């Protein structure tokens, strides 16, 4: 058991994910055929032996709570510790509406103080990867740093969809000398993976200090501002990182799962990703139904033709339908003879008989949850 | 312990010797079925879906796989404060103790377990049948008839009736005669091995039977005839729908094949009657660019690069490039090498078939003599076997 607890912030602004986040937080966005983004954060923590996890809920958290329930699917349904969902609340000095991450963490300081572990792994919810934190925690402790940031290489800067793009520069001793949020050009390829380790007392102090100076953004007002006062170190993660900053990112990273190498990294045998169990039957290929180069979840019935797609649980493709380069979320139904190309169907979307919808790989069409075409 | 109206006792002790090498290291109820299930998932899910929350699983043969699988009962929602699922192996009490010597003896040895719940009714199930059944409906019929015991029966073709235990009934469904595998059957109502007993009535019969040295301590052979001859009210409960005893290699293969197609004989895609199972936490399956999957079931964690037709791929199965799988069952985590051909075969859990091997190949004179009594024309590769590259395995052979 690690001497650490996890704190996941799920209130990330998500304008860039458009329709996918109209009715849910980024943490609850479906990913990879049967998961939600938060499954990766929770599984990473649990696979590291961290069984005390706080989830800071903020906006649209109904679908998140529905997904998490008691935490038993992640083995977080415990007598001691376990999963704690921390929704906003109103008190005399707390309006219930967070002005930023600092505000959100501050309202959870009660949970932080009560946690028995000395270190905290603080995470956002729009960066997906499969890792364990044990090595990072021991390096953090050995280095004596105030904060250790997990980072990976990302050579490009996407100006249009730039969001929470935190860049790190180091001196020769590995200490972070500069942090830049959303820089115009990638002066450094080292980009934060949205996971930070520090002593919980450090977190308490930094958050209280920022709040008392009316500063509310953890990245900007705590990390960037204090880069010279604090001993900040980096810890490199070399595996596959999916940052969901835009619809294009979302589309690209789902499609990347068709690459066996990527999917092996994200779904390693030793570190499984856990999610809510739906008890669906195995996918059934019927009649002329067939799939090519696709990821298909349980509960799907495929009677039509599917190519280069990610199919979530319980998707039905009717006879004669042709679906290519699409992401079809749970319970989507494609009617007889319909043709879909580069489309994202959110949950429970029904496309009736003989419809023809196409976007482009560079601009996939999204149909909102529950739409009937 | 709070009183329960009805609890279930699931007989899972059988060795299942007709399943041959598949049950070498696990009890029959733990044998994988239908892509992501094990046989025991069906009676357990039926219990939960019928509002029965207390199930004793009677086990004595190779119980490890079954114990590990059942765990706390959480996948079936059977981790309950009061009730739940219990594995009940034989045990020693005082200086006494013995293996379960028959189905009735197994329940008899667990009278203290049943008494804890002081149930009005006890449902006896076996762990080797594939079916969906609402036991609550059966209980309602039992109560309406004012029966002492109710036996679920299935109408079988008259010409097959001599293979079953046959119930002869009067016009009200009351059983007048029970015949075990009659040569000249008078009816075609076959016992499904599913019984509801009034516990008050069954209890003394179990104790009597246990003291009877001549008895083989079996519900069908001993308890039911004894109840019948004493004039107890035994009723038949007609079940309609799919029911299959998967006690043989052939029936196991057939029952898996019955899941395929647009209108399958047995429909797993039933939101009203879900079958629960333990999740192995695997990602969705992947179908490669040159793969072709037709008329098959494919479970999570599978990776398919080859050609699959009319087959059931279990969780985590891997089908290599240019491999051809036809009319076959590939059990969990089995790996089929590149270019291998599998025809009408069952490939056991975790086995590896080498590249270009051929399982289910035409039988040639050079294959010599081997016994196909258990398999017929189905070829069987046991669990955790490595079949070398290019190896030919002829029809009906068992490889272990």
């Amino acid at each position: 058991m690690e001497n650490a607890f996890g704190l996941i912030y799920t209130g990330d602004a998500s304008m860039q994910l458009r329709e996918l986040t109209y009715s849910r937080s980024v943490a609850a966005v479906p990913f990879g055929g049967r998961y939600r983004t938060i499954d990766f954060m929770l599984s990473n923590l649990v696979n590291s032996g961290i069984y005390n996890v706080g989830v800071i809920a903020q906006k649209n958290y109904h679908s998140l709570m529905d997904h998490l329930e008691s935490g038993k699917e992640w083995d977080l349904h415990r007598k001691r510790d376990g999963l704690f969902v921390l929704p906003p609340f109103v008190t005399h000095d707390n309006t219930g509406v967070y002005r930023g991450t600092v505000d959100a963490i501050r309202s959870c300081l009660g949970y932080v103080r009560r946690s028995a572990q000395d270190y905290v792994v603080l995470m956002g919810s729009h960066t997906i990867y499969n890792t364990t934190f044990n090595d990072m925690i021991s390096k953090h402790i050995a280095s004596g740093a105030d904060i250790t940031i997990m980072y990976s290489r990302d050579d490009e800067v996407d100006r249009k969809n730039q969001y929470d793009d935190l860049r790190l520069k180091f001196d020769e001793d590995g200490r972070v000398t500069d942090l830049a949020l959303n820089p115009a050009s990638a002066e450094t390829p080292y980009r934060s993976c949205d996971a930070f380790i520090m002593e919980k007392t450090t977190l308490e102090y930094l958050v209280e200090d920022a709040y008392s100076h009316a500063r509310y953004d953890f990245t900007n007002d705590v990390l960037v501002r204090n880069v010279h006062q604090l001993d900040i170190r980096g810890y490199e993660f070399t595996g596959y990182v999916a940052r969901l900053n835009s619809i294009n990112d979302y589309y690209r990273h789902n499609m990347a799962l068709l690459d066996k190498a990527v999917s092996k990294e994200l779904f390693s045998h030793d570190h499984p990703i856990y999610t809510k169990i739906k008890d669906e039957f195995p996918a059934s290929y019927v009649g002329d139904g067939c799939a090519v180069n696709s990821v298909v979840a349980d509960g799907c019935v495929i009677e039509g033709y599917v190519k280069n797609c990610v199919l979530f649980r319980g998707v039905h493709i009717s006879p004669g339908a042709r679906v290519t380069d699409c992401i079809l979320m749970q319970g989507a139904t494609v009617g007889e003879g319909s043709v879909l190309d580069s489309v994202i169907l959110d949950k429970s979307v029904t496309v009736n008989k003989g419809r023809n919808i196409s976007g482009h790989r560079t601009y996939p069409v999204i149909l909102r949850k529950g739409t009937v075409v | 312990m709070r009183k329960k109206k009805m609890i279930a006792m699931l007989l899972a002790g059988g060795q299942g010797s007709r399943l041959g090498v598949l049950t070498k290291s696990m009890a029959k109820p733990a044998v994988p079925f239908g892509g992501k299930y094990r046989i025991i998932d069906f009676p357990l899910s039926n219990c939960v879906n019928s509002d029965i929350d207390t199930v004793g699983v009677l086990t004595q043969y190779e119980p490890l796989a079954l114990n590990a699988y059942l765990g706390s009962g959480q996948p079936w929602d059977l981790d309950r404060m009061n009730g739940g699922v219990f594995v009940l192996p034989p045990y020693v009490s005082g200086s006494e103790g013995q293996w379960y010597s028959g189905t009735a003896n197994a329940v008899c040895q667990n009278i203290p377990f049943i008494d804890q719940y002081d149930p009005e009714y006890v449902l006896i199930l076996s762990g080797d049948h594939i079916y969906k059944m609402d036991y609550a409906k059966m209980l309602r019929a039992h109560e309406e008839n004012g029966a002492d015991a109710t036996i679920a029966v299935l109408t079988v073709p008259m010409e097959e009736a001599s293979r079953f235990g046959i119930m002869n009934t009067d016009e009200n469904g009351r059983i007048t005669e029970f015949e075990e595998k009659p040569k000249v059957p008078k009816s075609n109502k076959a016992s499904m091995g599913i019984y509801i007993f009034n516990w008050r009535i069954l209890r003394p019969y179990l104790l009597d039977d246990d003291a009877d040295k001549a008895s083989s301590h079996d519900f069908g052979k001993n308890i039911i005839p004894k109840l019948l001859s004493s004039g107890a009210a035994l009723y038949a409960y007609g079940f309609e729908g799919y029911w299959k005893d998967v006690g043989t290699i052939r029936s196991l293969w057939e029952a898996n094949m019955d899941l395929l197609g647009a209108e399958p004989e047995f429909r797993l895609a039933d939101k009203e009657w879900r079958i629960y199972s333990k999740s192995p936490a695997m990602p969705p399956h992947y179908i490669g660019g040159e793969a072709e999957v037709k008329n098959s079931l494919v479970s999570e964690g599978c990776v398919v690069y080859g050609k699959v037709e009319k087959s059931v791929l279990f969780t985590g199965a891997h089908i290599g490039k240019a491999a051809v799988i036809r009319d076959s069952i590939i059990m969990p985590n089995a790996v089929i090498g590149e270019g291998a051909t599998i025809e009408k075969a069952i490939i056991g859990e975790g086995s590896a078939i080498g590249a270009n091997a051929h399982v289910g190949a035409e039988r040639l004179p050079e294959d010599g003599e081997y016994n196909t009594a258990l398999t017929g024309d189905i070829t069987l590769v046991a669990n955790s076997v490595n079949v070398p590259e290019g190896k030919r395995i002829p029809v009906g052979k068992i490889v272990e």
Side-chain angles (χ1 to χ4, degrees), chain B residues 25-26 30 38 40 59 62-76 85 87 278-279:
Chain B
S25 63
M26 63 174 86
R38 292 183 185 259
I40 198 170
T59 163
E62 285 289 345
L64 180 64
L66 196 59
N67 276 348
Y69 186 67
L70 292 175
S72 68
Q74 185 258 321
W76 304 270
V85 63
V87 176
K278 192 167 190 166
S279 163

Side-chain angles (χ1 to χ4, degrees), chain A residues 269-319:
Chain A
H269 255 290
D270 300 331
H271 306 130
I273 303 299
Y274 301 97
T275 188
K276 187 168 171 175
I277 305 303
K278 307 261 191 205
D279 293 293
E280 292 284 4
F281 50 92
S284 180
Y285 293 83
V286 176
D288 292 328
C290 110
V292 178
N293 191 37
S294 294
V295 163
V296 181
D298 275 3
C300 288
V301 177
I302 299 178
E303 301 181 85
Y305 178 76
V306 175
K307 189 177 178 186
N308 306 337
C309 289
V310 175
L311 268 47
F312 284 69
R313 291 183 278 207
V315 168
H316 185 197
I317 310 290
S318 304

Side-chain angles (χ1 to χ4, degrees), chain A residues 107-320:
Chain A
S107 75
C108 304
L109 283 182
Y111 161 75
V112 171
R113 278 188 208 107
R114 270 197 308 277
S115 292
Q117 298 79 8
D118 295 321
Y119 293 88
V120 56
V121 182
L122 183 67
M123 310 169 85
S125 55
H126 63 276
T127 310
I128 290 173
Y129 45 92
N130 186 334
T131 190
T132 50
F133 296 110
N134 311 76
D135 187 47
M136 182 176 171
I137 292 171
S138 28
K139 292 232 162 77
H140 171 79
I141 295 171
S143 73
D146 294 313
I147 299 176
T148 300
I149 303 177
M150 185 175 275
Y151 68 90
S152 67
R153 274 191 85 103
D154 179 13
D155 293 308
E156 281 173 40
V157 159
D158 174 8
R159 280 300 280 167
K160 221 169 69 209
N161 297 305
Q162 207 169 19
Y163 171 75
D164 214 21
D165 181 355
L166 184 66
R167 298 281 169 164
L168 291 75
K169 274 190 203 159
F170 307 96
D171 64 14
E172 55 274 21
D173 302 327
R175 187 172 160 169
V176 174
T177 53
D178 186 43
L179 283 171
L181 185 62
N182 301 334
S185 62
E187 283 175 41
T188 153
Y190 305 120
R191 182 173 178 185
S192 156
C193 288
D194 222 12
F196 312 92
I197 289 174
M198 65 202 90
E199 264 184 77
K200 74 169 184 181
T201 47
T202 309
L203 180 70
E204 282 175 67
Y205 169 77
L206 291 172
V207 163
E208 290 287 15
D209 183 60
Y211 184 83
S212 63
H213 292 90
R215 298 183 191 128
Y216 301 111
D217 186 70
F218 189 80
T219 315
N220 247 325
D221 300 328
V222 174
L223 297 175
V224 175
R225 181 181 280 267
N226 292 323
V227 70
H228 298 298
Q229 282 80 45
L230 296 170
D231 181 356
I232 301 179
R233 308 266 164 162
Y235 181 88
E236 186 170 14
F237 174 69
T238 51
Y240 188 82
V241 180
R243 296 182 171 87
L244 304 184
N245 294 339
S246 67
I247 287 292
N248 280 345
D249 285 346
Y250 178 80
Y251 184 77
R252 185 163 57 88
H253 289 302
N254 270 288
M255 288 303 168
L257 296 176
L258 303 182
D259 177 349
K260 221 35 219 153
V262 171
S263 117
K264 260 200 182 129
E265 277 195 48
L266 278 179
F267 305 110
S268 110
H269 255 290
D270 300 331
H271 306 130
I273 303 299
Y274 301 97
T275 188
K276 187 168 171 175
I277 305 303
K278 307 261 191 205
D279 293 293
E280 292 284 4
F281 50 92
S284 180
Y285 293 83
V286 176
D288 292 328
C290 110
V292 178
N293 191 37
S294 294
V295 163
V296 181
D298 275 3
C300 288
V301 177
I302 299 178
E303 301 181 85
Y305 178 76
V306 175
K307 189 177 178 186
N308 306 337
C309 289
V310 175
L311 268 47
F312 284 69
R313 291 183 278 207
V315 168
H316 185 197
I317 310 290
S318 304

Side-chain angles (χ1 to χ4, degrees), chain B residues 250-314:
Chain B
R250 166 154 289 276
S251 62
L252 180 70
W253 179 84
E254 279 174 358
N256 274 286
M257 293 300 136
D258 287 344
L259 306 171
L260 303 178
E263 299 291 335
E265 296 269 320
F266 185 59
R267 202 165 64 93
L268 287 172
D270 186 350
K271 290 213 157 73
E272 306 298 310
W273 204 267
R274 254 182 228 276
I275 305 302
Y276 302 98
S277 66
K278 192 167 190 166
S279 163
M282 287 209 189
H285 71 258
Y286 172 72
I287 307 285
E290 285 148 44
E292 202 182 314
V293 180
K294 284 238 153 94
N295 261 315
S296 296
L297 285 190
V298 184
S299 312
E300 279 169 345
C302 288
V303 176
V304 183
Y305 292 111
K307 200 172 156 189
V308 178
E309 208 177 324
K310 282 189 78 180
S311 297
V312 178
L313 306 189
F314 285 67

